[in-house]
Amino acid sequence: MKNMRDFIAKCEAEGILKRITAEVDWDLELSHIAKLNEEKSGPALLFENVKDYDSPIITSACTTAERLAIIMGQPKETSLVGIMEEWVKLGDKKIEPKWVDSGPCKENIMMGDDVDLFKFPAPKWYPKDGGRFFGTAHFIITKDPESGWVNLGTYRSQLLDKNHLGTQFIKGKHADLMLKKYQAMGKPMPVASIVGCDPLLFILGAARVSAFVSEYDIAGAIRGEPVEVVKGETVDLPIPAEAEVVVEGEVDADKFMDEGPFGEYTGYYSGVGTDPRNFIDVKCITHRNNPIFWGTTVGRAVTDTHMTMALSYGAALWQQLVAMKIPGIRSVYCPPEGSGRFLAIISMKQMYPGHADQVLTAAISTEMGAYGLKTVIVVDEDIDPWDIPRVMYALSFRFQPNRCQIIKRGRSTPLDPSLPIDSREITGRLLMDATIPYDWKDKPIPITLDPDIVEKVKGRWAELGLE
Ligand SMILES: Cc1cc2nc3c(=O)[nH]c(=O)nc-3n(C[C@H](O)[C@H](O)[C@H](O)COP(=O)(O)O)c2cc1C
Ligand SMILES: [Mn+2]
């Protein structure tokens, strides 16, 4: 899979994409259709007749494990945890992108005064949004001015006017780290925003890939071949050659415009009454013929955002625990309902006293867990962490509040609505050991049925009238 068109063809062949030919308004109507469809785990939607526009927009590309499996190049029956497991196996494999001379993303070029972001059917998603959001299922490419490290990061972009996009680079995110370096050099930061491409690149844009590692190299490792890239027209950045829409511009760390609010993945609006934000001053747009715009509802769980984060955050946490060489990790599940970020459930085989505590404290000390992760639950190996009724069982019959630990301070996401709006930088964390303690000499005796009698009564099933 090299581009959005390959993905659409694949989904169509599998019967999990619907073309919508009736006219739909980009102003709230499209997003509401997408959201209601996603709440029913419906198909990906390709809106071919958007009011005021000639080109289409796709939504709901990543809302089901089936479509995530297709994007990850796996059989569509693979479970979310199965897909994560494949990701974890990659370890630190990397394949760098390959430069090519040109590509379909250059079929049309708008420069200078011709630049017009309104040429694309960016939707208004939620009633209290500050405007239309151009960049949702997209990513922004930036380059570290010192090391040349190229980052792909998904950061929402509001359509402010014909040549300005709002940004929200949360503190410490890779684009923010880079922007501060450009600021110190007294230079604006060149950026490119990509809308519509191999969907894997969006998943990686939203993934918590470590600093100094390019998401392009991880995409190459997952695909088993390099991503083909071309030079920007006005920016010295590698652009996916098969991208649908490429917005090139610069961000000046010292310039601000009002941005937001936006209906965020927490199920609440963010950006209400917060600071003005940096913006992209757009210098050039290139696009394919009949470009396929791509957007996502973000919003209340479960949407594309929650599914992609459950996949990539869960895989990252799992991978980082494996890299710490802690024995006994069976599987990791970060539920989509918690956006893959706030809650992690880890299944393990205990091998020594304190082992469960080690896993709990390790989880919140990984690069992944040290951000928004608030609650970690460990369960014994007989419980699958995605089997929520069994996790509830463990929380009821194995968990003991006297053995849980509260960590008072850790890095938070400013979007966490469980914290007051003006103090969201620091969060508490809860470590819940829902295992039977390894060090107990006398463990509870599990009830198992007598196998001989099981065989016997099974033989009587029909006689008992139970078949
Ligand atoms: C649809 C969507 C929108 C997002 N919007 C933002 C945003 O506006 N600001 C932000 O800092 N992170 C946002 N994120 C989360 C980042 O993509 C994620 O933290 C990622 O790790 C950032 O890339 P980086 O690690 O290279 O900085 C969003 C994720 C998704 C899926
Ligand atoms: Mn990154």
Side-chain angles (χ1 to χ4, degrees):
M1 190 178 302
K2 284 195 161 184
N3 57 39
M4 181 48 91
R5 296 167 196 227
D6 294 344
F7 173 72
I8 289 172
K10 184 95 207 211
C11 286
E12 219 162 12
E14 299 281 4
I16 50 176
L17 178 135
K18 176 92 186 121
R19 288 175 190 266
I20 298 195
T21 52
E23 188 183 83
V24 172
D25 196 335
W26 51 264
D27 190 0
L28 297 176
E29 190 181 30
L30 186 148
S31 62
H32 284 58
I33 294 169
K35 183 76 179 89
L36 293 173
N37 167 65
E38 287 161 7
E39 285 173 3
K40 291 193 281 192
S41 298
L45 301 179
L46 185 60
F47 294 89
E48 296 186 313
N49 186 358
V50 184
K51 185 168 172 268
D52 309 327
Y53 290 92
D54 295 330
S55 58
I57 166 167
I58 183 168
T59 70
S60 322
C62 303
T63 334
T64 61
E66 224 172 30
R67 292 199 283 281
L68 289 178
I70 288 176
I71 295 170
M72 294 292 291
Q74 285 165 40
K76 75 169 196 301
E77 300 72 31
T78 317
S79 69
L80 186 57
V81 175
I83 309 168
M84 285 162 60
E85 214 167 351
E86 288 302 311
W87 187 318
V88 173
K89 276 189 205 147
L90 291 172
D92 52 11
K93 224 159 91 200
K94 294 185 188 91
I95 298 181
E96 285 184 17
K98 181 174 126 195
W99 287 98
V100 294
D101 291 338
S102 190
C105 70
K106 305 285 190 188
E107 281 167 355
N108 303 274
I109 300 182
M110 286 180 211
M111 283 276 200
D113 286 347
D114 292 336
V115 164
D116 187 0
L117 294 162
F118 290 104
K119 289 259 157 74
F120 304 90
K124 180 170 177 186
W125 297 95
Y126 294 107
K128 290 187 168 44
D129 282 0
R132 301 168 70 171
F133 276 78
F134 193 96
T136 51
H138 83 138
F139 57 89
I140 291 180
I141 308 173
T142 50
K143 184 156 75 177
D144 185 89
E146 289 163 0
S147 65
W149 154 43
V150 171
N151 193 69
L152 314 187
T154 297
Y155 317 102
R156 77 188 195 200
S157 306
Q158 185 178 346
L159 177 48
L160 297 177
D161 60 42
K162 74 192 263 284
N163 58 346
H164 294 99
L165 288 178
T167 67
Q168 180 200 229
F169 303 152
I170 289 172
K171 282 180 201 163
K173 298 288 179 88
H174 298 156
D176 171 66
L177 299 180
M178 292 177 179
L179 182 62
K180 292 202 166 104
K181 291 192 186 177
Y182 284 96
Q183 183 178 29
M185 294 161 73
K187 285 187 190 165
M189 175 169 76
V191 301
S193 156
I194 308 301
V195 187
C197 56
D198 176 350
L200 176 60
L201 294 175
F202 159 65
I203 292 181
L204 285 165
R208 302 279 326 281
V209 173
S210 306
F212 318 119
V213 175
S214 178
E215 286 78 1
Y216 270 136
D217 300 359
I218 310 295
I222 292 172
R223 285 277 172 264
E225 59 181 6
V227 179
E228 293 186 353
V229 293
V230 289
K231 274 236 164 4
E233 295 300 300
T234 60
V235 289
D236 182 18
L237 294 169
I239 310 286
E242 311 228 357
E244 300 288 334
V245 179
V246 181
V247 177
E248 301 181 8
E250 331 180 303
V251 179
D252 184 333
D254 297 312
K255 289 189 183 156
F256 303 92
M257 285 172 87
D258 284 338
E259 191 266 357
F262 181 57
E264 273 289 354
Y265 73 93
T266 57
Y268 297 92
Y269 287 95
S270 86
V272 187
T274 44
D275 300 334
R277 298 183 203 279
N278 300 121
F279 56 86
I280 303 174
D281 186 6
V282 181
K283 307 285 188 199
C284 169
I285 302 176
T286 76
H287 65 90
R288 293 181 71 141
N289 296 332
N290 191 32
I292 301 167
F293 204 77
W294 185 10
T296 183
T297 49
V298 192
R300 201 176 64 200
V302 170
T303 71
D304 292 353
T305 303
H306 311 89
M307 288 303 287
T308 49
M309 289 186 172
L311 167 61
S312 69
Y313 291 9
L317 178 59
W318 192 343
Q319 209 169 39
Q320 288 165 12
L321 287 170
V322 168
M324 288 165 106
K325 304 208 186 311
I326 302 169
I329 305 284
R330 285 285 184 262
S331 52
V332 174
Y333 183 64
C334 299
E337 292 74 10
S339 205
R341 160 171 279 160
F342 294 102
L343 172 64
I345 307 165
I346 303 168
S347 166
M348 65 176 294
K349 176 181 169 55
Q350 296 185 77
M351 295 153 103
Y352 42 85
H355 192 179
D357 306 283
Q358 181 189 7
V359 170
L360 285 165
T361 49
I364 58 164
S365 306
T366 57
E367 214 259 347
M368 180 59 229
Y371 188 44
L373 183 56
K374 284 193 291 192
T375 305
V376 190
I377 302 170
V378 285
V379 293
D380 286 305
E381 60 177 327
D382 62 326
I383 292 181
D384 289 325
W386 60 90
D387 187 350
I388 300 302
R390 288 285 288 155
V391 172
M392 289 296 135
Y393 168 86
L395 285 175
S396 305
F397 297 109
R398 296 184 188 175
F399 172 69
Q400 168 49 240
N402 286 324
R403 287 195 299 271
C404 82
Q405 306 200 56
I406 292 180
I407 307 295
K408 295 225 171 106
R409 290 175 56 83
R411 184 181 173 208
S412 174
T413 157
L415 299 185
D416 184 351
S418 74
L419 288 164
I421 206 153
D422 54 355
S423 59
R424 288 186 173 172
E425 291 190 328
I426 301 294
T427 182
R429 306 195 198 282
L430 177 61
L431 308 182
M432 299 175 83
D433 177 356
T435 65
I436 298 169
Y438 182 88
D439 42 303
W440 281 5
K441 270 201 202 69
D442 298 317
K443 299 212 167 65
I445 301 164
I447 305 168
T448 51
L449 296 185
D450 183 305
D452 294 338
I453 300 187
V454 166
E455 272 318 297
K456 193 173 145 205
V457 300
K458 276 188 177 167
R460 294 191 63 193
W461 223 240
E463 180 202 338
L464 295 167
L466 291 170
E467 225 145 46

